Amino acid sequence: MLTKRIIPCLDIKDNRTVKGVNFLDLRDAGDPVELASRYAKYGADELVFLDITATHEKRKTLAELVLKVAQQIDIPFTVGGGISSIEDVSVLLQNGADKVSINSAAVKNPPLINDLVDRFGSQCIVVAVDAKKIEDQWKVHLVGGKVPTPVDLFEWVSEATDRGAGEILFTSMNHDGTKAGFANEALATMSKLINIPIIASGGAGNIHHFIEVFKKGKADAALAASVFHYKEIPIGYLKEKLSKKGIPIRLVTKETIQRSIK
């Protein structure tokens, strides 16, 4: 059985890590290089770096910052934000990213997924999906959640899978930053539709939420930001609790757990 993954997310704006609620009211959460280094040492399985205004502001992900982060960590590193071409992906991989996350550009131009998979392999390509539940229907949103579309969440993740995506990173806009739990019903539905790993994002507030996202939501990985940034849930301690609940997880040493709690 594959182990479940715990993934801190660094949402980046103006070279700083930020965090908001429902994609709004962003506040500073620290230096991304320092946070990345801390997470790698404290037991994170992977790291996700999202330049959340790259698409909106018509600029590319900050490759220099990506390089600085990559030099501080020894765990898989996914980078997203403003990626729309083979050239964009090449630059990020050359600067230390292990995988790239594409979102708005993929919805606007679905064959881009095929092109990137053909060039770099499915293991490198994560399709990120920001969706909001509106009148019992999950609709995909673009440009950091600012632009609604008529695209159905489940139809889109199925198409992205068929086009060769290696993973889906699903963020529930309804749950983002609320600390009220993940969108487990939608995640469970998604897991029945597709056969690639699903990373759950949006809503982590306590350890029970992580247990539920793996048991009820059937997610392969859980991504969170503020509960890690503000040291509300130490990663090593979280993993220990998940293991005791029978969830397969890569454990860390007791020393690492104690270090992360301080």
Side-chain angles (χ1 to χ4, degrees):
M1 181 181 292
L2 293 176
T3 57
K4 304 297 185 179
R5 290 170 287 153
I6 300 299
I7 306 176
C9 180
L10 304 178
D11 291 329
I12 307 298
K13 182 179 181 182
D14 300 326
N15 281 7
R16 296 290 294 179
T17 306
V18 296
K19 187 56 192 161
V21 177
N22 302 130
F23 284 41
L24 301 171
D25 301 324
L26 301 178
R27 59 173 174 149
D28 189 88
D31 176 76
V33 179
E34 291 179 4
L35 286 171
S37 178
R38 180 205 306 169
Y39 294 141
K41 293 176 182 176
Y42 291 170
D45 296 296
E46 297 188 18
L47 185 71
V48 167
F49 171 113
L50 299 175
D51 188 351
I52 61 173
T53 58
T55 301
H56 176 59
E57 297 177 0
K58 308 299 183 189
R59 57 182 173 75
K60 303 306 179 185
T61 304
L62 303 177
E64 184 177 332
L65 183 56
V66 170
L67 178 60
K68 290 179 181 178
V69 170
Q71 290 172 336
Q72 295 297 317
I73 64 177
D74 57 0
I75 55 177
F77 180 31
T78 300
V79 179
I83 298 171
S84 60
S85 68
I86 287 175
E87 290 73 22
D88 292 340
V89 175
S90 294
V91 168
L92 293 172
L93 295 180
Q94 289 168 7
N95 280 273
D98 298 287
K99 296 182 276 188
V100 296
S101 169
I102 55 173
N103 191 331
S104 298
V107 178
K108 294 175 182 177
N109 177 28
L112 174 65
I113 300 173
N114 303 74
D115 294 341
L116 295 179
V117 169
D118 289 344
R119 178 66 178 270
F120 302 105
S122 62
Q123 78 284 350
C124 277
I125 308 304
V126 179
V127 172
V129 186
D130 300 328
K132 190 173 186 179
K133 190 175 185 180
I134 304 171
E135 296 180 354
D136 294 325
Q137 290 187 313
W138 284 94
K139 296 298 183 181
V140 174
H141 285 55
L142 307 182
V143 194
K146 296 178 176 64
V147 179
T149 78
V151 177
D152 177 80
L153 165 65
F154 303 109
E155 292 178 1
W156 172 234
V157 298
S158 295
E159 179 178 349
T161 301
D162 291 341
R163 290 182 178 277
E167 289 183 282
I168 297 293
L169 168 53
F170 163 54
T171 300
S172 166
M173 294 176 62
N174 304 78
H175 296 73
D176 177 71
T178 64
K179 298 185 180 181
F182 293 89
N184 292 319
E185 185 176 338
L187 286 161
T189 298
M190 201 179 299
S191 72
K192 295 177 182 177
L193 291 174
I194 62 177
N195 60 358
I196 60 175
I198 299 169
I199 304 169
S201 171
N206 58 48
I207 290 175
H208 182 66
H209 293 154
F210 285 92
I211 295 170
E212 284 191 324
V213 79
F214 292 128
K215 291 194 171 184
K216 293 183 178 180
K218 308 299 181 183
D220 299 279
L223 179 147
S226 58
V227 293
F228 296 145
H229 298 341
Y230 304 120
K231 300 182 179 180
E232 295 168 24
I233 303 178
I235 292 174
Y237 180 72
L238 168 62
K239 287 185 153 191
E240 185 178 51
K241 293 297 184 182
L242 291 174
S243 179
K244 289 180 178 179
K245 289 294 183 178
I247 296 169
I249 200 85
R250 182 181 67 88
L251 293 173
V252 297
T253 65
K254 293 289 185 181
E255 291 77 13
T256 299
I257 294 173
Q258 290 301 316
R259 194 163 57 241
S260 68
I261 291 174
K262 293 179 180 179

